Structure formats: C-alpha cells, structure tokens
Amino acid sequence: HPDFERAFRAHMNTVEQTIMFLPCLWIASVYNDERIAAWLGYTWLLARLWFLFGYLAEAKKRSYGFTIASLANLGLIVVGFWGMLPPLVRIG
C-alpha cells in the first residue's frame, strides 16, 4: 500500500539519520556547551517530525524538514569539533 510504503520509508530514513545524530549530539554535549547541543537536538527532533508528517502527506513535502534536520546535525558536528579542537592541538 502506498501509504504504508511512505510511512515505512520515512521511519527508516529517520533511523538511518539517528545513527549519525546521536554520536554528534554526544560529542557536542561532552566537548562543548550542552545547552547548545540540547537546542540543536530539539531542532533536529522537531525537523524530523516535520519531515515525517510532510512525507506522509506527500513525498515532495519532506524537503523543509530534511533540510532543517541536516543543518541541525551539521551544527552539532561544528559545535563538537570546535569543542574538541583545543584538546587536540594542545602541545606539551
């Protein structure tokens, strides 16, 4: 059934994205400000819900949620690496 196929694809896409999201969230919260990581995590979660409901309505409506979730995940990567940079370049 097409509705089930869209729901299953949206769910599996979220599971795939979670594999990248959780380590990025953890690194950003450990090595940098956990409040920033938390807000980016909330943003990712809300954007994935937006993606899900948009995908269920019509497959073409998923792009805004996907884009915002990707940007939130990119923000987590930047925040995490920015926090990891000083310990990595410390000499002596």
Side-chain angles (χ1 to χ4, degrees):
H1 195 270
D3 291 337
F4 174 77
E5 288 293 325
R6 277 198 313 271
F8 183 73
R9 287 179 57 89
H11 170 71
M12 290 309 295
N13 187 272
T14 300
V15 169
E16 292 167 359
Q17 294 295 316
T18 303
I19 293 170
M20 185 173 154
F21 166 71
L22 288 176
C24 293
L25 179 67
W26 175 67
I27 289 170
S29 64
V30 168
Y31 288 101
N32 212 326
D33 189 7
E34 60 271 356
R35 288 174 292 173
I36 295 172
W39 281 109
L40 287 170
Y42 294 142
T43 303
W44 184 89
L45 180 63
L46 292 175
R48 290 309 298 182
L49 288 172
W50 188 359
F51 170 84
L52 172 67
F53 292 124
Y55 203 127
L56 291 177
E58 184 180 345
K60 295 178 183 177
K61 293 183 178 181
R62 66 183 181 209
S63 63
Y64 290 120
F66 181 80
T67 302
I68 294 170
S70 296
L71 290 174
N73 208 7
L74 180 63
L76 286 170
I77 292 170
V78 169
V79 167
F81 280 127
W82 188 259
M84 288 175 58
L85 191 61
L88 290 175
V89 297
R90 188 176 306 156
I91 300 174

